[in-house]
Amino acid sequence: MTFLSMMAFTKNPMKTILITSSVSFVVLSVMAEVSASKSVQQQRSFRSSPMLHIVNGTESLIRENKDGFVYCYSNLRIPGRPSPLAVLWTDPQGKPLLPFSKLDVKRERMFSVQQDFFRPNAYLVFRNFDETLEGVYTCNLLYLGKLVALRSIHLKLFRPTFRVVALPRCLTVRAGGTVLIPSPVTGHPERPPYWRRIGGDDDPSTVLQLPTGLLVQGIQESAVYRAVARLGGGLTHQQDVTLSVVLHDGRVKELRTKPRVATSAPSKCLRGPVPGAPLYSSSVVIANDLIADMQMAACCSSPEDGRQK
């Protein structure tokens, strides 16, 4: 700028201010357009590339009462403090899942855990899964608070066709009476359970195997009955039930002979737990886990993608 020009600006300060303001406005407008253009290009590049991945639990079939999680992450990384990228899980109603830091995780059964160590990611965590938690859950990728990509997964409850139930370990029956020992399974097994008397034989006319259990009539002596449930894959689960006969004078009739086959059932019904006896509840839980595992393996082509055959 020449000396005369400087003098002109000095003599007319108002003109100088107007020219300076106009130049600043033009510069700011150009910067805003460049920034907006970059933002649009960034969002377009988001939409044209695979950005979200659901891994480590993407199977859509979830076993009843199971605890687990679904992991979702973005392969993008934009430096920033805080990062302009965020991954957010929403429920079937489209509402964001609350993070575990804002709720009582001992009471809530579905929540999220958000992280941003190496890449934006979030966990969808569930506890005691049942039909109330079924639905389509969505993993959302946000850039500066705006949705740029999403992936969804349909979580469905898996129930086996049948379950093993715990039987009473001992039943007391009046001499000459009739009793129905309940079935060791509920639902629809491929093959029904079967029963046999341990250490003796029954009169076929007094014992009848029904879908609801074993009907024993005209009981005159104490006996041990074993129920065998077929789990599949050649595996079985057995439970022993003792029928203790109470005579008219109130005495309990002992087993006439000891069973030739080892049994976990008590020789007669006692009050309180039987020392050294196995816990049926534990074996029942294991049996039901095996049933669910085998049936899930049979119905699903791959545990990673949850697709059904």
Side-chain angles (χ1 to χ4, degrees), residues 225-291:
Y225 290 89
R226 173 165 295 175
V228 181
R230 302 177 177 91
L231 307 182
L235 302 176
T236 60
H237 177 261
Q238 65 185 33
Q239 298 182 66
D240 298 332
V241 179
T242 294
L243 296 184
S244 281
V245 174
V246 179
L247 301 176
H248 297 291
D249 58 5
R251 292 183 297 109
V252 176
K253 192 173 184 180
E254 298 283 350
L255 289 171
R256 180 177 298 180
T257 57
K258 293 184 178 180
R260 295 187 298 272
V261 179
T263 174
S264 60
S267 60
K268 62 181 179 178
C269 294
L270 302 174
R271 294 181 180 180
V274 178
L279 296 176
Y280 282 162
S281 59
S282 298
S283 65
V284 167
V285 170
I286 295 173
N288 286 325
D289 284 343
L290 289 172
I291 294 171

Side-chain angles (χ1 to χ4, degrees), residues 19 30 40 43 50 61 68 74 81 132 146 165 177 180 194 210 247 251 266 274-275 287:
I19 292 174
V30 172
V40 171
Q43 292 192 21
L61 290 178
S74 172
R81 293 180 178 271
T132 64
K146 294 183 179 180
V165 295
L180 175 66
Y194 60 90
L210 304 173
L247 301 176
R251 292 183 297 109
V274 178

Side-chain angles (χ1 to χ4, degrees), residues 11 27 31 85 113 222 259 280 285 296:
K11 291 179 180 180
V27 172
M31 292 179 63
L85 288 171
V113 179
S222 299
Y280 282 162
V285 170
M296 283 193 70

Side-chain angles (χ1 to χ4, degrees), residues 87 107 134 179 229 253 261:
V87 175
R107 298 179 56 186
E134 287 185 303
V179 67
K253 192 173 184 180
V261 179

